[in-house]
């Protein structure tokens, strides 16, 4: 298969498999994003968002909004990222995806630390950690993203302020944490 055929989901389109078209495109967009080609990644994610909304697939819509929020943060578009994150959290909640909602907390924390709100970011990451412990989950790419966020948090907060915010975050539900964000 050529990259062009993969990028356009030709084989899946020939089979009429909309779900696989979306996932192939999403995987390719994620690959472009990890290779640093944000333009191609953003274009694919934006197309995926249109498709997810057309299919009324809230799970795919939430995941795509999260990916677009990450790209917006990488590009320094904080307000765009926050708007997308506020939009995708209720979608995760509505489809019952606690894991997606938990990852969203990390994206919110990343955005907030860029905005100088390190204590709130620490509370969100603490809540995320608690949720992951409850679910028995560990997501490597999220842990890597959180390492960078935590480094910035520690640059902005002293140990006492960090410990206090972390303790407060452990008591929050995902919805309460998003409300703080």
């Amino acid at each position: 298969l050529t990259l062009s055929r993969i990028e356009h989901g030709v084989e899946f389109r020939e089979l009429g498999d909309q779900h696989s078209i979306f996932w192939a495109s999403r995987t390719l967009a994620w690959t472009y994003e990890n290779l640093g080609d944000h333009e191609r990644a953003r274009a694919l994610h934006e197309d995926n968002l249109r498709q997810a909304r057309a299919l009324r697939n809230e799970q795919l819509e939430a995941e795509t909004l999260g990916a677009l929020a990450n790209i917006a943060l990488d590009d320094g578009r904080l307000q765009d990222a926050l708007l997308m994150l506020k939009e995708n959290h209720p979608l995760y909640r509505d489809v019952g995806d606690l894991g997606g909602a938990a990852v969203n907390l990390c994206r919110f924390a990343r955005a907030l630390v860029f905005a100088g709100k390190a204590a709130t970011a620490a509370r969100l990451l603490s809540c995320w950690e608690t949720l992951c412990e409850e679910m028995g989950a560990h997501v490597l790419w999220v842990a890597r993203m959180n390492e960078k966020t935590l480094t910035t948090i520690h640059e902005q907060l002293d140990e006492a302020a960090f410990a206090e915010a972390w303790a407060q975050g452990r008591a929050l539900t995902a919805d309460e944490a998003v409300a703080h964000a």
Side-chain angles (χ1 to χ4, degrees), residues 13-24:
R13 283 187 191 1
E14 289 171 357
L15 294 171
D17 186 347
Q18 291 296 320
H19 185 75
S20 294
I21 291 168
F22 179 84
W23 283 108

Side-chain angles (χ1 to χ4, degrees), residues 66-142:
L68 285 167
N70 276 343
I71 291 172
L73 288 171
D74 288 343
D75 292 345
R77 295 180 293 115
L78 177 62
Q79 292 306 314
D80 290 344
L82 286 170
L83 289 172
M84 287 182 256
L85 293 172
K86 287 177 186 176
E87 186 177 352
N88 85 341
H89 180 73
L91 294 169
Y92 278 129
R93 185 186 57 232
D94 291 349
V95 298
D97 185 351
L98 183 58
V103 169
N104 212 35
L105 293 177
C106 301
R107 291 181 181 121
F108 266 118
R110 184 173 175 230
L112 291 169
V113 80
F114 284 137
K117 298 181 187 249
T120 303
R123 284 190 283 278
L124 297 184
L125 288 185
S126 176
C127 179
W128 170 79
E129 185 175 271
T130 301
L131 290 171
C132 286
E133 289 168 3
E134 290 171 3
M135 293 183 294
H138 180 77
V139 182
L140 186 58
W141 74 267
V142 177

Side-chain angles (χ1 to χ4, degrees), residues 4-105:
S4 178
R5 286 181 65 81
I6 293 170
E7 192 169 82
H8 295 99
V10 173
E11 280 73 19
F12 295 130
R13 283 187 191 1
E14 289 171 357
L15 294 171
D17 186 347
Q18 291 296 320
H19 185 75
S20 294
I21 291 168
F22 179 84
W23 283 108
S25 180
R26 178 156 165 63
T27 301
L28 186 60
W30 180 82
T31 301
Y32 283 138
E33 185 177 344
N34 283 294
L35 292 173
D37 189 343
H38 287 191
E39 289 304 314
R40 285 179 119 173
R42 182 180 18 257
L44 283 171
H45 283 310
E46 287 172 350
D47 186 52
N48 290 342
L49 182 59
R50 283 187 291 277
Q51 290 178 39
R53 286 178 172 161
L55 295 170
R56 294 190 162 123
N57 188 322
E58 290 180 332
Q59 178 73 41
L60 301 178
E61 182 179 353
E63 291 179 18
T64 303
L65 282 166
L68 285 167
N70 276 343
I71 291 172
L73 288 171
D74 288 343
D75 292 345
R77 295 180 293 115
L78 177 62
Q79 292 306 314
D80 290 344
L82 286 170
L83 289 172
M84 287 182 256
L85 293 172
K86 287 177 186 176
E87 186 177 352
N88 85 341
H89 180 73
L91 294 169
Y92 278 129
R93 185 186 57 232
D94 291 349
V95 298
D97 185 351
L98 183 58
V103 169
N104 212 35
L105 293 177

